[in-house]
Amino acid sequence: MVEQRPAGSGTGAGVALSKTYNTNQQTPDCAGTMTAMMSGIKTRAGLIGVNQHVNRADCASSMGNEVPSLMLQAARHLTSLNPRCRKWHALGW
């Protein structure tokens, strides 16, 4: 049986909502939204992983306009820690 209660009747604890728009339109698409969520930088509709200065039909314009992704930063951080962890483990630390 499905619980029936009005929407919004909970306390909302632990819930965060945000609105993300593209720089060139108010209704966001998934590419621009994900870029904003993962980098903190808004972009145009149809672009992912680059800033707003890229033309969608011009691949060459993306060079130098890439945005730093949180996932890439996390991966760099983790790979920089792995060699040290292996040494410590091998030495019995």
Side-chain angles (χ1 to χ4, degrees):
M1 183 171 180
V2 177
E3 183 179 351
Q4 299 289 324
R5 63 181 179 174
S9 62
T11 62
V15 175
L17 303 174
S18 67
K19 294 181 180 179
T20 304
Y21 303 105
N22 296 108
T23 57
N24 63 334
Q25 65 185 29
Q26 210 171 17
T27 304
D29 70 331
C30 58
T33 299
M34 197 61 194
T35 299
M37 290 172 61
M38 296 307 293
S39 70
I41 298 171
K42 291 184 181 182
T43 190
R44 293 181 182 184
L47 302 177
I48 189 164
V50 292
N51 62 27
Q52 65 183 356
H53 304 294
V54 174
N55 295 323
R56 187 172 179 179
D58 182 17
C59 293
S61 68
S62 66
M63 302 303 288
N65 288 308
E66 300 88 358
V67 296
S69 168
L70 292 176
M71 297 299 284
L72 181 59
Q73 292 176 10
R76 287 180 183 160
H77 178 71
L78 290 175
T79 55
S80 68
L81 293 177
N82 281 339
R84 289 187 219 136
C85 292
R86 289 185 190 131
K87 284 181 184 177
W88 290 343
H89 181 69
L91 297 175
W93 295 2

